[in-house]
Amino acid sequence: MSTTTQAPETTRTGLLLRVLPVGMYAGRSRALVERSFLVNRRTWLQVVSGFFEPLFFLFGLGFGFGKLIGDVVGPGGETISYVAYVAPALLAASAMNGAVYDATFNLFFKLKYAKLYDAVLATPLGPLDIAIGEITWALIRGALYGTGFLTVMLGMGLLTSPWAVFALPAAILIAFAFGALGMACTTFMRSWHDFDLVQLALVPMFLFSTTFYPITVYPGAVQFAVKCFPLYHAIEVMRALCTGYVDASIVGHLAYFVVMALVGVVVASRRLGKLLLA
Amino acid sequence: MRPAIVPDVVAETAVRDGGLVRARGLTKQFGDFEAVRGIDLDVEPGEAFGFLGPNGAGKSSTMRMVSCVSPRTGGDLTVLGMDPRTQGPDIRARLGVVPQQDNLDNELTVRQNLHIYGRYFGLSKAHVRAKAVELLDFAQLTDRADAEVEPLSGGMKRRLTIARSLINDPELLLLDEPTTGLDPQARHLLWDRLFRLRQQGVTLIITTHYMDEAEQLCDRLVVMDGGKIVAEGSPGELIARYCSREVLELRFVTDKPDAAAAEGLADRIEVLPDRLLLYTSDGEASLAAAHQRGLAPASSLVRRGTLEDVFLRLTGRTLVD
Ligand SMILES: Nc1ncnc2c1ncn2[C@@H]1O[C@H](COP(=O)(O)OP(=O)(O)OP(=O)(O)O)[C@@H](O)[C@H]1O
Ligand SMILES: [Mg+2]
């Protein structure tokens, strides 16, 4: 593996390309997205089912628990219904889950069994094209689901602020970051057993990252730990945008995902290069 | 041998340093193991260049480096005048690659495989649609165009992989054992097609274990063994240098053939468990001489010296590794 980091002599420059070995990018990741469309046209049922999952959570948890709990204190200290409290968190969690599944299970299959990328890399496309192409597909799917979920929220009167128009772009950024990091992790996995670790990371994160109750229920040390994990920040962003209580802290939360996305893409494409270009 | 055809298309391609592919001291290491141990190559525009060599000789490793899908460990390499290390995408845009192992997209149909592969090269949808029809016909898969790839027979998959490699009208086509698994009809069809591509100015690099194929297709070849090039030349030159015009085979049924009795009858004599091989310029004359000496083989055969003889002489008869 070449580890030279000089910039390529083409017009395709940029931060990413300076930290990645040259020759890894042809600027043609769109073709891989096109492939995903072609493949998923035939497995549309699987695509549709992904749309309903967060809605089931919303109805089950929101209404079921909502009845039991009644109203709660929102991010701005206001009183909101429990459904309104949980819905943004579920949106964030579904952005995470969708992206992570695509970037781990689906990617691992294509990497190890389908040998898809061996063929792709014999064309102008490089590892960075693959990384971007696959993440883009995950984002397109995520955006579709996010739109559906937000539409349902709108219909239920859960979007109470104009800030909510930013909820979708924010969900896409969050999915991008999770997808990129998930992809980077997948490149280190040796067998399907390693995916238990993915579950081990996702499930507690989903349960404990203030999805269902505020962070104030935890003692100080636990609060700090929860704040280290990405889903906490995703939920903070979504809750602020959906309820309209947006302050400067949102910049910090979003920055978390920008960094996470960059690290993910760089590690993923470097590792993909190492794995595939033996 | 056929005359080398170097048409304008290729002459126009600005290729520095002469060769279309140029390697100096090229090496490839996997961990501690050195699969390619410093080889020099010059492939000229428009020629058909072959790699021969026993299993594990390093042919595929070399092909993969030239295809810009495997970074070299050491030495110099330029393909189409560019360095694979920095200009991989630009080089690959002009290559056609048939890997040793088919790697078709099993989630797509036959036609979609061609279609999407063309899209990876940035070709327009209209262009790949038309090209796919032509290539399906070439691969004789038109009636399976909309079928899944997975259930195709091995030979059909191979044909599709070869067709796929032509989607971008490559200038340089790299074929790693293209005809392994093909039936004789498909093999001859491919040879015809490759011959026509060469006439159009496409440069071919082929690895094969079929000596007749190498003799048919290649203007020039190298024999690799243990990661090194052990011989280089046209098929005719190699036969002249390492074999002889004719080979006299003397078969013995009983015990070990009497090599001592045949001493001096030919330029070189090889002793096999049941046979003597006499490398000679005139087989009939040697046979007559053998009879005169009182050698009584159960049967005899005079044949032309072939690449296979060259190959076996250079790389040994025993199976390595
Ligand atoms: N990815 C790899 N990792 C480790 N070793 C490898 C790898 N690829 C090839 N090798 C080793 O390099 C050597 C040369 O392999 P290569 O595939 O180039 O041989 P070949 O000449 O194409 O043989 P064949 O005729 O069997 O296809 C072999 O010993 C092989 O085990
Ligand atoms: Mg090989």
Side-chain angles (χ1 to χ4, degrees), chain A residues 7-246:
Chain A
E9 295 150 338
T10 59
T11 48
R12 300 186 301 256
T13 46
L15 176 68
L16 268 185
L17 296 177
R18 250 169 265 149
V19 290
L20 289 167
V22 292
M24 289 181 74
Y25 186 52
R28 207 169 278 151
S29 40
R30 267 205 359 244
L32 209 59
V33 177
E34 199 177 315
R35 174 193 177 271
S36 296
F37 269 104
L38 215 50
V39 170
N40 283 277
R41 219 165 58 189
R42 287 137 46 97
T43 55
W44 56 272
L45 198 65
Q46 193 198 332
V47 177
V48 171
S49 74
F51 170 72
F52 285 104
E53 202 183 280
L55 287 184
F56 292 153
F57 268 103
L58 181 64
F59 293 126
L61 292 169
F63 282 120
F65 277 112
K67 278 268 164 2
L68 204 67
I69 294 165
D71 289 347
V72 293
V73 180
E78 81 288 14
T79 302
I80 56 172
S81 71
Y82 188 64
V83 188
Y85 183 81
V86 166
L90 290 175
L91 178 58
S94 90
M96 169 182 87
N97 281 325
V100 169
Y101 275 96
D102 256 338
T104 54
F105 287 93
N106 291 350
L107 184 78
F108 190 74
F109 173 75
K110 289 188 235 179
L111 209 53
K112 291 277 147 103
Y113 296 93
K115 298 276 171 205
L116 171 68
Y117 304 124
D118 289 345
V120 172
L121 287 172
T123 74
L125 277 75
L128 185 59
D129 294 284
I130 292 178
I132 293 177
E134 292 296 27
I135 293 174
T136 305
W137 166 246
L139 294 190
I140 291 172
R141 217 161 89 168
L144 283 176
Y145 296 163
T147 309
F149 193 83
L150 282 163
T151 310
V152 172
M153 280 178 74
L154 188 69
M156 291 168 63
L158 299 176
L159 298 179
T160 52
S161 152
W163 279 103
V165 299
F166 295 110
L168 186 62
I172 292 173
L173 172 65
I174 290 163
F176 187 4
F178 275 108
L181 197 67
M183 193 178 237
C185 293
T186 305
T187 61
F188 290 96
M189 294 187 184
R190 287 163 188 284
S191 78
W192 292 108
H193 298 298
D194 294 334
F195 286 94
D196 294 340
L197 293 173
V198 176
Q199 290 295 347
L200 202 63
L202 288 190
V203 173
M205 200 147 62
F206 176 58
L207 291 175
F208 304 136
S209 295
T210 73
T211 319
F212 304 107
Y213 41 77
I215 193 154
T216 46
V217 302
Y218 295 123
V222 179
Q223 282 193 19
F224 178 78
V226 168
K227 283 180 180 173
C228 291
F229 289 101
L231 187 59
Y232 165 77
H233 299 275
I235 291 173
E236 285 295 296
V237 168
M238 284 304 166
R239 217 165 250 156
L241 291 174
C242 290
T243 59
Y245 288 92
V246 177

Side-chain angles (χ1 to χ4, degrees), chain A residues 1 20 24 127-128 131 264-274:
Chain A
M1 186 72 213
L20 289 167
M24 289 181 74
L128 185 59
V265 168
V266 170
V267 174
S269 28
R270 271 175 161 272
R271 286 278 312 166
L272 277 178
K274 264 214 173 69

Side-chain angles (χ1 to χ4, degrees), chain B residues 7-20:
Chain B
D8 309 340
V9 221
V10 173
E12 272 167 26
T13 15
V15 174
R16 279 171 286 138
D17 310 328
L20 208 58

Side-chain angles (χ1 to χ4, degrees), chain A residues 278, chain B residues 30 33 35 53-62 100 176-177 209:
Chain B
F30 297 104
F33 177 74
N55 294 140
K59 304 181 295 295
S60 297
S61 303
T62 307
Q100 186 168 358
D176 199 346
E177 299 189 27
H209 289 300

